Amino acid sequence: AGRVLDAIAKEEKEKAEKNRLAEIEAKQKAKDESEAKKKEEEEAAHKKHDKEAAKVKAEEELEEARLQMEVKKKTRLRAIEEAEAVAAKKKAEEEATDAKKIEEEAAAAAQKKAEEEAIAAKQKADDEAAVTATRFRLDRKWFLSQVQAEEEAATAKQKVDEKAAAAKKKVDEEAASARRKVRFPTAESEK
């Protein structure tokens, strides 16, 4: 009977030990699973964080690229404006040079014409005076006719001078008009 009790006790003891070992193993397994789950969650959190960081970085790079495009666009526009300004300045200078040349040529032509008219008028007056002098040399009215011829010559010269002054005034006005067009090309082109 004692041996049977010992056997039962030993069996109970082994059973208890087995249960204790199974409980330890279950706890260890639960601990391992918990740590694995925790590790997975941490990795998922890291991945999420990395994904968000990558998204932020991509947005920043996109914004940087957009800003660079804006800068390039502004630089290109500035270059175009500068080129147009240079071209406009060059055109204005060329127009001013042309206007000055026209003005000088017109003034020279007017002066030459006035001089030719003055010479012709003087020649005519001299010829008339010579004829008059020959005709009335022996006449008592010769002196008076001489004075009259001189007065006519003076009158003719005055008319020539007036014509020359009028021609010069016209040339000056045309030149001033040309200069205004050159100086304010935008206003003229808008009209």
Side-chain angles (χ1 to χ4, degrees):
R3 241 186 272 156
V4 171
L5 283 172
D6 284 346
I8 291 168
K10 188 181 177 185
E11 195 179 313
E12 286 293 325
K13 193 178 176 184
E14 283 175 359
K15 198 176 178 184
E17 182 65 20
K18 211 176 192 181
N19 286 343
R20 194 178 69 79
L21 289 170
E23 197 178 318
I24 289 167
E25 194 178 321
K27 279 182 182 176
Q28 186 63 43
K29 192 178 178 185
K31 188 181 175 186
D32 291 346
E33 284 175 358
S34 173
E35 284 178 358
K37 193 177 179 186
K38 191 178 176 185
K39 196 175 178 184
E40 277 177 17
E41 284 173 356
E42 283 175 357
E43 282 176 0
H46 277 302
K47 279 181 184 174
K48 190 181 177 186
H49 179 265
D50 290 347
K51 196 176 178 183
E52 284 175 359
K55 188 183 175 186
V56 168
K57 191 181 177 187
E59 284 173 356
E60 286 172 355
E61 284 173 355
L62 192 69
E63 182 63 16
E64 179 67 24
R66 193 185 66 76
L67 288 172
Q68 282 180 2
M69 285 291 285
E70 280 292 318
V71 168
K72 280 181 184 174
K73 189 179 175 185
K74 283 178 183 173
T75 305
R76 194 167 64 246
L77 286 173
R78 200 177 300 117
I80 290 166
E81 284 170 3
E82 285 171 2
E84 284 174 350
V86 167
K89 189 183 175 189
K90 190 180 177 187
K91 190 182 176 189
E93 284 171 356
E94 285 171 357
E95 285 176 355
T97 304
D98 290 347
K100 192 180 176 188
K101 194 177 175 185
I102 290 164
E103 180 187 345
E104 285 170 357
E105 285 172 358
Q111 190 178 342
K112 190 181 177 187
K113 190 180 176 189
E115 284 170 0
E116 285 170 356
E117 285 176 355
I119 289 165
K122 188 179 182 297
Q123 186 64 48
K124 189 181 176 187
D126 287 349
D127 291 348
E128 285 173 358
V131 169
T132 306
T134 304
R135 196 179 293 156
F136 298 108
R137 190 174 291 128
L138 302 172
D139 198 319
R140 58 192 174 88
K141 291 179 182 176
W142 180 82
F143 178 76
L144 292 172
S145 64
Q146 178 70 21
V147 170
Q148 189 183 349
E150 284 175 4
E151 284 174 357
E152 283 173 1
T155 305
K157 188 180 184 301
Q158 187 181 344
K159 282 181 182 175
V160 167
D161 290 346
E162 284 171 1
K163 278 185 182 177
K168 189 178 185 305
K169 187 181 178 187
K170 190 179 178 187
V171 167
D172 289 346
E173 285 172 357
E174 286 173 357
S177 175
R179 277 198 296 275
R180 277 195 298 277
K181 283 179 184 174
V182 170
R183 214 169 286 146
F184 307 104
T186 313
E188 288 296 322
S189 64
E190 280 175 4
K191 285 177 188 173

